[in-house]
Amino acid sequence: MIRDKQVPMREQSGAERIRNFDEVPYGYSDDEAAAEAARCLQCRNAPCIAGCPVGIDIPAFLLAVKERDTARAIAVIKTSNALPAVCGRVCPQETQCQGVCTLGKRFEPVAIGRLERYCADWESTHPAAPTSVAPSTGRRVAVIGAGPAGLTAAGELRKMGHDVTVYELLHVAGGVLMYGIPEFRLPKAIVKREIDGLRQMGVRIEVNQVIGRIATVHEMLAGGFDAVFIGTGAGLPQFLGIPGEGLNGVYSANEFLTRTNLMRAYLFPEYDTPLRVGRRVITVGGGNVAMDSARTALRLGAEESLIVYRRSEEELPARREEAHHAKEEGVDFHFLTNPIAFLGENGRVTGVRCLRMELGEPDASGRRRPVPVAGSEFEMQADSVIVAIGNGPHPLVLQTTPGLELNRWGNIVADPETGATSIPGVFAGGDIVTGAATVIEAMGAGKRAARAIDAFVRAK
Amino acid sequence: MYKILEKRRLGPGIQEYVILAPDVARVGKAGQFIVLRLHERGERIPLTIVDCDPKGGGVTLVVQEVGKSTREMGETFGVGDSVLDFAGPLGVASEIERYGTVICIGGGLGIAPLYPIARDLKRAGNTVIGIIGARNKELLFYEDRMRAVCDEFHVMTDDGSYGRKGFVSDPLREILAAGRPIHRVWAIGPAIMMKVCAKVTKEFSVPTVVSLNSVMIDGTGMCGGCRVEVGSATKFACVDGPEFDGHAVDFDLLMARQKFYAEEESCSLERYLAERKGAETR
């Protein structure tokens, strides 16, 4: 008999966890993992594999977990996915592998993400066999940006025997995994461990490198690199363009999260970077970054954390689980509400002027367009406001690479299958190509580009 | 790790450092900046480049000890020590062209980033009028270096302890009022000084470049903390600047944003000083 429900994963209660930055779920025990893995039907067509952007052989690893052979399980995962501890935590499995799980048609799908996380965490406490690296090809590849796309491309290329150097602009590798996603959702120690794994494979990672200035992409190609992969991400925060945006206390989500996650402002003054939060915090936006910001505000001591989103709950782009966690923690959602001005006194933000919205006809995205309700203007008080409405492409490398074709949003035009750009030998993937998307999609792009780069440099 | 090659005291609380960063030294230009971090718990400190030595690999910076981190750097980092992180060059370089006659104004610490701009303008064939100023004689530095690249030179102190008594905007106004043809002005220093200078040059319609030191976290375009209003547009000082058209900058907004973390900064400094004192008496 098959259990209709997933084995639940124990987690910190909402009231408890807003007082710390520790991870919310505790993870499965060995017995819980084996019981959950046993729910897999081992379908022969395995729709889950096609649902995974990096194509992990999911039935094979679940079978190994069921048989309590976790070493085999993690080996299966790692053939396709270099960062399983990260993906097990931040992938939107409900729309990927679990979204197409055969079991999910009648019951709850197999908790594939939780089991991936279980395997990766098991590995962290068990000595792992080093990932095998093919004999040196003598080919050199530069990777720009040490985020999910770049790190994945680097790992794959290294496994193929290429000499790989990753250039990172910030002082640590990891990209959005380090500066963006909070500790309570993705512990930084896990990211560091995954990156150490790449280093052990022989991937060189250089931080503090301002590519575009100290060397351009063209100079890299002329200077001994056989190919360059650009994975510089969507790092440029967008603002609403409404009055009062320059007031103190109005943050981009990037600034708010970077101060907290990368610079550890929650440990100020032990760490030197401060962050002022206040009693009542309003976050504008409805994506995962907005959820992360609102939940972080609570942990930094805000008594009230509100989310203002111009569409309805149904259109919320955040993962269900993230919105659910935010609600459990007491985040107060204000749907169909659109800010039109930030209000302030003495240069500091004191509130937000909003309009009530209602849903009209579907727009270009297929979602019903929010339209203002006439005469509905009202004000909400706030000590801080976090603008989490998205990020544009990071500009530095794009501005310094003549001949690189960009689309009308300023993203790099790249072949979705190979990552090839308008410049021979230059490949790109992740948010710098697609605009802000998910960690695993960026990883998938890095992996596909690695295959194309491998073919390209071998043919040279 | 980036080694400190030289360290020199220029005045009370003002230190000049030469830090080994060959990649940056090779390509760094006047007007650009770097970001450094002292140690694992440190903040990212943006500092404008004063000089680059492409051969020796050194990058010269001038640091005023105004807060905890800069104080810590001055007191505990010496020649031979290394800072943990150093990234650059960031920002857009100064537009060095042959304009004709230019006025280069440096106030206080602003003299440091002004110097390479004046030097390069001179090299490009401009007639350079230099004006530097500080609160008092002790806080003035680089007088010789500036004099060497200027065709005409004015020194001002607020209290009259050296040079002429008054503000850097005084000789600026006199020169412009005399009707001398001036093709461009650079004014770098405290926000209020740049605001006043830009107001003067606007009266005479002389294009004026200012360099903005707004609060930054990453310095690479990611946080938006350094945003400033220029004309009616929001610009990021780190990637669109740090130099902007002085006639279009909203200086009042800049000054308000610079002060946001004043309390936290003073709390951090107090704590540091108490720790230092404790360590000394122990």
Side-chain angles (χ1 to χ4, degrees):
Chain A
M1 202 198 84
I2 291 165
R3 292 176 50 141
D4 58 350
K5 293 234 190 294
Q6 295 175 349
V7 176
M9 185 154 62
R10 290 158 297 124
E11 60 182 32
Q12 293 192 68
S13 74
E16 185 187 348
R17 67 191 188 234
I18 60 168
R19 287 197 294 269
N20 63 56
F21 270 86
D22 298 343
E23 199 175 5
V24 171
Y26 293 118
Y28 277 152
S29 67
D30 297 345
D31 290 343
E32 286 166 342
E36 181 59 28
R39 295 178 67 231
C40 175
L41 300 175
Q42 296 290 319
C43 318
R44 229 185 301 167
N45 63 342
C48 49
I49 300 179
C52 173
V54 295
I56 296 173
D57 188 347
I58 292 166
F61 105 74
L62 293 180
L63 185 65
V65 175
K66 178 186 164 190
E67 291 169 359
R68 295 181 185 256
D69 186 354
T70 317
R72 192 177 97 227
I74 189 69
V76 170
I77 294 171
K78 289 193 99 173
T79 352
S80 310
N81 182 354
L83 311 172
V86 173
C87 291
R89 288 170 165 84
V90 303
C91 266
Q93 291 99 4
E94 63 279 9
T95 61
Q96 298 175 347
C97 53
Q98 293 177 197
V100 293
C101 173
T102 310
L103 192 62
K105 287 179 183 154
R106 293 204 47 198
F107 306 124
E108 284 186 359
V110 180
I112 299 165
R114 292 173 180 176
L115 290 166
E116 181 181 25
R117 173 197 157 131
Y118 165 79
C119 295
D121 289 355
W122 175 89
E123 192 197 22
S124 73
T125 53
H126 294 75
T131 311
S132 64
V133 170
S136 173
T137 60
R139 300 295 187 203
R140 293 181 66 208
V141 182
V143 171
I144 308 172
L151 291 175
T152 304
E156 295 294 321
L157 288 161
R158 183 71 199 119
K159 275 195 260 176
M160 295 163 182
H162 306 302
D163 181 320
V164 184
T165 309
V166 182
Y167 296 93
E168 166 59 39
L169 182 56
L170 291 175
H171 57 262
V172 292
V176 73
L177 308 176
M178 289 303 282
Y179 74 76
I181 302 175
E183 178 78 18
F184 56 83
R185 207 147 74 75
L186 179 64
K188 301 307 147 216
I190 287 168
V191 182
K192 285 184 183 141
R193 200 175 71 220
E194 305 260 32
I195 291 168
D196 285 344
L198 290 175
R199 284 204 175 96
Q200 278 158 22
M201 280 165 62
V203 173
R204 263 193 306 279
I205 302 178
E206 309 270 3
V207 297
N208 296 320
Q209 303 293 308
V210 188
I211 299 301
R213 293 277 163 69
I214 60 167
T216 64
V217 169
H218 289 289
E219 285 164 356
M220 289 172 139
L221 286 174
F225 284 107
D226 297 293
V228 175
F229 176 81
I230 304 174
T232 47
L236 192 76
Q238 283 159 357
F239 286 91
L240 290 151
I242 61 176
E245 216 143 34
L247 288 164
N248 281 326
V250 177
Y251 297 98
S252 73
N254 261 8
E255 178 179 0
F256 192 80
L257 294 172
T258 298
R259 281 180 184 268
T260 310
N261 302 327
L262 183 70
M263 306 310 295
R264 309 250 153 171
Y266 61 96
L267 297 172
F268 178 84
E270 281 296 315
Y271 281 69
D272 290 337
T273 305
L275 175 56
R276 204 181 278 188
V277 182
R279 204 188 62 77
R280 194 170 204 251
V281 179
I282 295 181
T283 301
V284 180
N288 289 327
V289 175
M291 303 303 132
D292 285 346
S293 302
R295 297 173 68 194
T296 296
L298 286 172
R299 286 161 174 79
L300 289 167
E303 288 163 36
E304 287 180 87
S305 182
L306 293 73
I307 281 183
V308 162
Y309 180 54
R310 66 198 184 109
R311 299 178 194 255
S312 75
E313 181 161 12
E314 214 168 294
E315 288 84 26
L316 208 61
R319 289 181 69 192
R320 283 250 172 84
E321 184 184 319
E322 302 309 328
H324 169 74
H325 273 145
K327 279 185 191 165
E328 270 184 354
E329 291 169 11
V331 173
D332 189 8
F333 285 76
H334 295 249
F335 296 107
L336 294 166
T337 305
N338 198 29
I340 53 169
F342 297 117
L343 312 169
E345 271 169 38
N346 304 322
R348 283 221 55 180
V349 72
T350 55
V352 185
R353 182 172 295 133
C354 297
L355 282 177
R356 303 225 185 269
M357 310 294 275
E358 57 190 10
L359 293 178
E361 295 302 307
D363 62 14
S365 71
R367 299 176 297 178
R368 290 176 66 193
R369 184 194 302 276
V371 288
V373 175
S376 66
E377 215 172 288
F378 68 104
E379 289 176 6
M380 299 170 84
Q381 184 262 323
D383 300 312
S384 296
V385 176
I386 305 166
V387 179
I389 57 162
N391 290 297
H394 196 274
L396 218 54
V397 171
L398 308 185
Q399 287 167 356
T400 53
T401 312
L404 188 63
E405 192 188 341
L406 308 180
N407 66 20
R408 63 191 172 106
W409 297 279
N411 295 105
I412 298 175
V413 176
D415 184 313
E417 277 315 303
T418 64
T421 69
S422 56
I423 303 173
V426 179
F427 298 77
D431 286 2
I432 194 67
V433 171
T434 57
T438 62
V439 169
I440 189 73
E441 282 170 281
M443 292 176 59
K447 190 171 174 179
R448 288 191 298 277
R451 261 183 247 140
I453 291 170
D454 179 55
F456 176 84
V457 298
R458 282 177 198 277
K460 264 183 99 166
Chain B
M1 299 289 273
Y2 303 81
K3 197 169 174 181
I4 298 173
L5 302 175
E6 292 171 40
K7 180 179 178 182
R8 189 161 69 99
R9 186 177 177 276
L10 299 180
I14 305 174
Q15 305 275 1
E16 179 191 71
Y17 298 87
V18 179
I19 296 180
L20 183 64
D23 287 341
V24 182
R26 204 161 33 78
V27 294
K29 299 225 165 35
Q32 293 183 308
F33 66 100
I34 60 92
V35 165
L36 69 78
R37 211 165 69 108
L38 296 178
H39 49 67
E40 206 43 64
R41 294 179 169 211
E43 58 190 327
R44 291 173 66 93
I45 311 170
L47 294 165
T48 313
I49 291 172
V50 174
D51 208 352
C52 284
D53 171 11
K55 281 190 194 134
V59 177
T60 305
L61 307 164
V62 175
V63 181
Q64 188 162 29
E65 295 167 8
V66 286
K68 186 251 176 184
S69 298
T70 46
R71 189 86 183 244
E72 185 179 7
M73 185 171 178
E75 288 173 358
T76 62
F77 284 73
V79 172
D81 293 335
S82 293
V83 299
L84 181 59
D85 297 300
F86 192 100
L90 297 160
V92 181
S94 305
E95 275 179 50
I96 304 295
E97 284 173 31
R98 187 168 180 173
Y99 296 102
T101 302
V102 296
I103 302 180
C104 291
I105 311 167
L109 195 74
I111 300 167
L114 180 77
Y115 162 69
I117 298 170
R119 179 197 62 199
D120 291 358
L121 285 166
K122 178 69 189 164
R123 280 183 194 159
N126 293 281
T127 299
V128 180
I129 301 173
I131 306 174
I132 62 169
R135 285 208 308 279
N136 57 48
K137 183 185 176 185
E138 283 204 295
L139 294 168
L140 264 182
F141 59 92
Y142 279 4
E143 185 188 344
D144 293 349
R145 296 184 90 173
M146 279 297 292
R147 231 178 243 287
V149 300
C150 291
D151 297 278
E152 179 184 327
F153 196 60
H154 304 263
V155 181
M156 309 295 292
T157 51
D158 294 7
D159 64 356
S161 55
Y162 189 71
R164 243 177 87 190
K165 181 177 171 160
F167 301 111
V168 289
S169 50
D170 299 342
L172 172 66
R173 178 175 285 283
E174 289 157 14
I175 293 164
L176 295 174
R180 294 168 62 181
I182 300 299
H183 301 96
R184 190 166 285 237
V185 170
W186 257 266
I188 307 181
I192 186 68
M193 180 218 104
M194 295 191 285
K195 181 184 176 182
V196 170
C197 289
K199 198 164 164 249
V200 172
T201 59
K202 196 167 185 185
E203 282 175 39
F204 296 91
S205 306
V206 180
T208 299
V209 180
V210 295
S211 179
L212 307 186
N213 53 338
S214 41
V215 174
M216 291 181 187
I217 305 301
D218 59 288
T220 69
M222 285 178 38
C223 77
C226 67
R227 64 192 184 276
V228 286
E229 296 286 317
V230 182
S232 53
T234 296
K235 299 280 184 186
F236 288 1
C238 63
V239 288
D240 300 319
E243 293 189 353
F244 292 101
D245 172 3
H247 296 158
V249 168
D250 182 342
F251 285 102
D252 296 332
L253 182 69
L254 173 72
M255 287 186 263
R257 290 189 64 81
Q258 283 175 336
K259 278 190 290 224
F260 185 37
Y261 280 106
E263 286 163 34
E264 283 81 358
E265 281 159 12
S266 79
C267 140
S268 182
L269 178 60
E270 290 299 323
R271 183 172 173 276
Y272 166 75
L273 294 177
E275 265 177 23
R276 289 281 291 169
K277 212 173 164 189
E280 273 164 29
T281 50
R282 226 178 283 140

